[in-house]
Amino acid sequence: MTTSSDQPVPDSSAVQTEMLGYLTKRTGKTWATDADVFGSGGLSSLFAMELVVHLEKSYGIAIRGADLRVENFRTVRRMAALVERLRQPTPGGSGA
């Protein structure tokens, strides 16, 4: 599969595992893939931006516009789905 990055395309399970580790390291708390990371009340809007930057750098994606909705970052499963969707080639793109 051709992507906009030279990084290998991770599968959803690998993204979930990595993100669970990242959240545990940053918060000192163990998370489940479907846990609402913002519903717990302990995470700030600044942390939300850290998540965006982490995902962009780790997976070679650009999160912009409508993709910046909190719903895309509420759970590890949703973050992994966002990464997977953004790593797909753009229809009609050059494929380069």
Side-chain angles (χ1 to χ4, degrees), residues 21-32:
Y22 175 79
L23 286 170
T24 298
K25 182 178 176 184
R26 294 286 292 124
T27 66
K29 191 174 155 181
T30 301
W31 296 91

Side-chain angles (χ1 to χ4, degrees), residues 18-74:
E18 190 277 328
M19 287 306 299
L20 288 170
Y22 175 79
L23 286 170
T24 298
K25 182 178 176 184
R26 294 286 292 124
T27 66
K29 191 174 155 181
T30 301
W31 296 91
T33 57
D34 287 325
D36 184 342
V37 298
F38 294 100
S40 67
L43 303 180
S44 67
S45 57
L46 178 60
F47 187 75
M49 290 313 300
E50 288 180 36
L51 281 174
V52 170
V53 170
H54 176 75
L55 290 170
E56 288 181 331
K57 287 184 177 183
S58 296
Y59 300 106
I61 59 175
I63 304 171
R64 304 285 182 263
D67 290 325
L68 286 169
R69 294 176 301 159
V70 72
E71 292 80 23
N72 287 328
F73 303 93
R74 192 161 299 283

